[in-house]
């Protein structure tokens, strides 16, 4: 089985712009979660999608949003980028979300200038 | 508020020595605890979870609700254990909502 894939792998944007990141889960997985990883804050949960619906949400401002498509692929959008949004964005997929294993993607490294 | 604390950012041990990576959590509900590992140039991956009570690669972790701890232990460290280790708490009964510690970088000295 192919693993979780994320595109693009690297991205450079400027303040005020918006960005869309994509995540393709492992085939058959319906739960997709997004995380932000920074040296200072570590791994922080953004949100989880299941069956095209946001099921859980972390403590991030409304500039961070996402969606999930019928094929379980998910996108994350950040509007009005700030310097502090520079981070590695990870997505993880699992079958249903819960006790089973989450599988992580390689991440998208976003740099905001 | 939910919180996961890993007090050691860096930990070095000699090969063959015992290793313990500390994790403490704060959560009012019934916790589900996990350890994730990230080897150099690899993806973050699950190492073990407390509900399985399993031993993976010689590592074990016991949930101590009284001390709110979930320390990761291995009796004899190997060089290939050098990696970044993250303790994580899952709080939701439905779906995934994880809180991660800031991680401990383990170096096993040959």
């Amino acid at each position: 089985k192919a693993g979780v894939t994320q595109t693009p792998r690297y991205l450079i944007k400027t303040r005020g712009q918006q960005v869309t990141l994509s995540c393709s889960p492992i085939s058959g997985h319906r739960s997709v979660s997004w995380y932000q990883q920074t040296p200072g804050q570590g791994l922080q949960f953004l949100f989880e999608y299941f069956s095209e619906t946001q099921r859980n949400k972390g403590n991030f401002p409304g500039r961070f949003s996402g969606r999930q498509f019928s094929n379980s692929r998910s996108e994350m959008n950040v509007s009005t980028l700030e310097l502090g949004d520079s981070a590695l964005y990870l997505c993880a997929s699992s079958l249903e979300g819960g006790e089973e294993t989450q599988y992580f993607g390689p991440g998208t490294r976003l740099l905001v200038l | 508020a939910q919180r996961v604390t890993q007090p050691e950012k860096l930990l070095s041990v000699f090969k063959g020595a015992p290793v313990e990576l500390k994790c403490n959590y704060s959560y009012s509900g019934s916790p589900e605890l996990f350890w994730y590992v990230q080897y150099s140039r690899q993806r973050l991956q699950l190492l073990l979870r407390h509900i399985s009570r399993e031993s993976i690669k010689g590592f074990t972790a016991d949930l101590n609700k009284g001390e709110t701890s979930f320390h990761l232990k291995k009796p004899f460290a190997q060089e290939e254990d050098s990696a970044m280790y993250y303790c994580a708490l899952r709080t939701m009964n439905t779906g995934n909502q994880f809180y991660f510690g800031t991680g401990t970088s383990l170096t096993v000295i040959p």
Side-chain angles (χ1 to χ4, degrees):
Chain A
K1 264 187 185 177
V4 177
T5 58
Q6 292 186 244
T7 56
R9 293 293 310 280
Y10 303 92
L11 207 47
I12 300 176
K13 293 284 188 180
T14 56
R15 278 184 302 173
Q17 286 187 308
Q18 75 165 16
V19 67
T20 299
L21 313 181
S22 181
C23 172
S24 292
I26 291 173
S27 177
H29 285 192
R30 297 166 65 194
S31 167
V32 175
S33 298
W34 287 89
Y35 297 85
Q36 181 194 66
Q37 187 175 26
T38 59
Q41 300 293 323
L43 266 163
Q44 293 185 282
F45 174 79
L46 280 154
F47 29 65
E48 182 215 9
Y49 283 86
F50 180 78
S51 290
E52 302 178 63
T53 302
Q54 188 180 88
R55 184 160 65 174
N56 290 298
K57 188 178 188 302
N59 295 323
F60 277 80
R63 300 186 297 107
F64 292 82
S65 63
R67 58 178 176 168
Q68 187 180 35
F69 302 93
S70 58
N71 61 358
S72 294
R73 188 177 71 85
S74 178
E75 287 182 348
M76 191 193 92
N77 185 274
V78 187
S79 62
T80 320
L81 283 166
E82 301 176 0
L83 296 179
D85 297 333
S86 294
L88 181 67
Y89 290 88
L90 295 170
C91 84
S93 76
S94 64
L95 276 170
E96 301 282 331
E99 295 177 358
E100 74 273 8
T101 301
Q102 277 192 112
Y103 293 88
F104 280 82
T108 294
R109 187 164 295 282
L110 171 65
L111 176 62
V112 182
L113 301 175
Chain B
Q2 302 86 350
R3 178 179 291 182
V4 177
T5 303
Q6 293 179 250
E8 303 136 332
K9 279 196 168 181
L10 303 169
L11 184 63
S12 295
V13 299
F14 285 100
K15 178 182 173 181
V19 61
E20 180 179 66
L21 290 88
K22 291 184 169 48
C23 172
N24 289 90
Y25 68 91
S26 172
Y27 180 51
S28 57
S30 183
E32 292 184 42
L33 276 299
F34 301 75
W35 276 98
Y36 281 82
V37 62
Q38 188 166 28
Y39 300 102
S40 180
R41 300 182 190 280
Q42 293 189 27
R43 304 181 183 195
L44 195 61
Q45 59 186 286
L46 178 68
L47 180 62
L48 55 79
R49 69 194 88 184
H50 90 271
I51 58 172
S52 301
R53 303 187 66 81
E54 56 199 345
S55 173
I56 303 293
K57 298 184 179 183
F59 284 98
T60 58
D62 289 317
L63 177 59
N64 186 322
K65 291 188 178 180
E67 296 182 358
T68 60
S69 69
F70 188 57
H71 303 328
L72 183 68
K73 300 178 184 179
K74 184 170 182 177
F76 307 104
Q78 302 299 314
E79 289 178 65
E80 56 265 29
D81 296 330
S82 295
M84 194 73 178
Y85 291 81
Y86 295 92
C87 181
L89 166 70
R90 177 176 169 265
T91 60
M92 300 301 292
N93 289 327
T94 302
N96 283 334
Q97 184 154 2
F98 279 79
Y99 292 86
F100 280 80
T102 49
T104 297
S105 176
L106 173 66
T107 300
V108 179
I109 305 164

